[in-house]
Amino acid sequence: MASGVAVTAIGVGGALSVNASAEETAPEGSAPAETCYTLTSELVEGPYYIDADKIRRDVTEDQEGIPLTLELKVIDADTCKPLRNAAVDIWHCSATGVYSGYESSGNGGGGPAPTGPPPSGTPTGEPPTGGPGGGGGHQEPTDDDRYLRGTWRTDRHGRVTFKTIFPGWYQGRAVHIHTKVHVDGTWTDAGYEGGHTCHTGQFFFDEKSVLASAEVAPYSTNTSTRTTLTEDTIYPQNGHTGGLLYLRYDKRHIAKGVHAHLTMGVAPDETHDSSDTQPSASASPSAS
């Protein structure tokens, strides 16, 4: 597992909070050996995926929240070679826990809610299919909004960067971002066509950063019961291999923005649309 030893780097005045590891200190263009054979965990797609129809790097639109720069690198877990021209999707909820395309479902899709401004209270009604947090089957969109969703291509180094906001939370789930990686398709003027999904996963945030974000508006207006990272039933509790992001921000002023990054090891020849199919044992000789 590409974890390394987490440390806290103190900047000028002791203000900079950083998660550092062997991944960050590797020479440019290289990767530590362990990332070459450890696949990033396959996790549930969730019910709120909408197929790529927003080809863009900045997915913020008019959403309020802490600016988040999400830098990802996609590599072949067997060869360590970067995956060029792969299509990477991300999608996540707003600062108050609402998914675009599903605003009528309320905070986290937790049942019917009044129309109008996104609700910030505890959701009512039955939880979505699959239990808290929506681990079950896909649900059809209920509106045309598409904020905090987007798809972009990796460059020749396997890198892709998104501009968004720090996600909020809703009952039953820790703070997270969903992702998919598509390969072997074709980029056209209309977007990305064909190919197959080689990875479906989620990214997670450590508790310190989430607690800091909760002090900032509009996150501070979100009164939904928050699930911690250790309580989350979808996060595999295996650190960066499970999607835990490396974060950098001013711990005294997180509202200024957060930079997050992670290298994802995928099996490009395999298909993983959701958690129904897991990486083969032969593709991941390290179980740690």
Side-chain angles (χ1 to χ4, degrees), residues 145-164:
D145 288 327
R146 295 294 184 266
Y147 54 80
L148 307 180
R149 300 177 180 272
T151 302
W152 199 253
R153 72 170 71 186
T154 57
D155 63 18
R156 63 190 182 93
H157 300 293
R159 298 184 185 277
V160 61
T161 300
F162 291 96
K163 296 290 185 181
T164 184

Side-chain angles (χ1 to χ4, degrees), residues 47-58:
Y48 307 124
Y49 176 62
I50 300 176
D51 199 10
D53 62 355
K54 289 291 185 181
I55 308 301
R56 58 187 182 179
R57 285 179 285 189
D58 189 337

Side-chain angles (χ1 to χ4, degrees), residues 24-219:
E24 292 183 305
T25 57
E28 181 67 25
S30 68
E34 55 264 38
T35 63
C36 300
Y37 57 82
T38 300
L39 283 162
T40 300
S41 300
E42 298 290 328
L43 302 175
V44 293
E45 174 187 294
Y48 307 124
Y49 176 62
I50 300 176
D51 199 10
D53 62 355
K54 289 291 185 181
I55 308 301
R56 58 187 182 179
R57 285 179 285 189
D58 189 337
V59 304
T60 310
E61 292 194 18
D62 59 351
Q63 291 299 298
E64 295 182 1
I66 298 167
L68 174 68
T69 299
L70 178 63
E71 182 179 308
L72 305 170
K73 182 176 182 180
V74 185
I75 65 170
D76 184 319
D78 282 335
T79 67
C80 281
K81 292 182 179 179
L83 291 188
R84 182 177 184 176
N85 288 328
V88 179
D89 303 326
I90 66 164
W91 70 101
H92 63 86
C93 70
S94 68
T96 53
V98 176
Y99 280 92
S100 65
Y102 301 89
E103 287 194 348
S104 64
S105 295
N107 178 292
T115 57
S120 58
T122 301
T124 59
E126 294 297 319
T129 304
H138 176 72
Q139 295 185 21
E140 290 302 313
T142 59
D143 58 67
D144 295 329
D145 288 327
R146 295 294 184 266
Y147 54 80
L148 307 180
R149 300 177 180 272
T151 302
W152 199 253
R153 72 170 71 186
T154 57
D155 63 18
R156 63 190 182 93
H157 300 293
R159 298 184 185 277
V160 61
T161 300
F162 291 96
K163 296 290 185 181
T164 184
I165 63 167
F166 198 99
W169 62 89
Y170 49 91
Q171 188 173 14
R173 287 303 316 279
V175 175
H176 64 284
I177 295 175
H178 292 268
T179 189
K180 281 182 177 285
V181 179
H182 312 273
V183 295
D184 296 335
T186 303
W187 288 95
T188 69
D189 292 340
Y192 189 77
E193 300 177 358
H196 66 278
T197 303
C198 69
H199 175 68
T200 298
Q202 299 182 25
F203 303 121
F204 299 90
F205 298 78
D206 61 47
E207 279 298 297
K208 186 179 295 185
S209 65
V210 174
L211 288 172
S213 74
E215 300 298 319
V216 179
Y219 305 89

Side-chain angles (χ1 to χ4, degrees), residues 1 41 204 228-240 242:
M1 182 174 77
S41 300
F204 299 90
T228 66
L229 195 61
T230 55
E231 295 170 336
D232 193 271
T233 58
I234 293 177
Y235 172 58
Q237 310 296 331
N238 59 348
H240 304 298

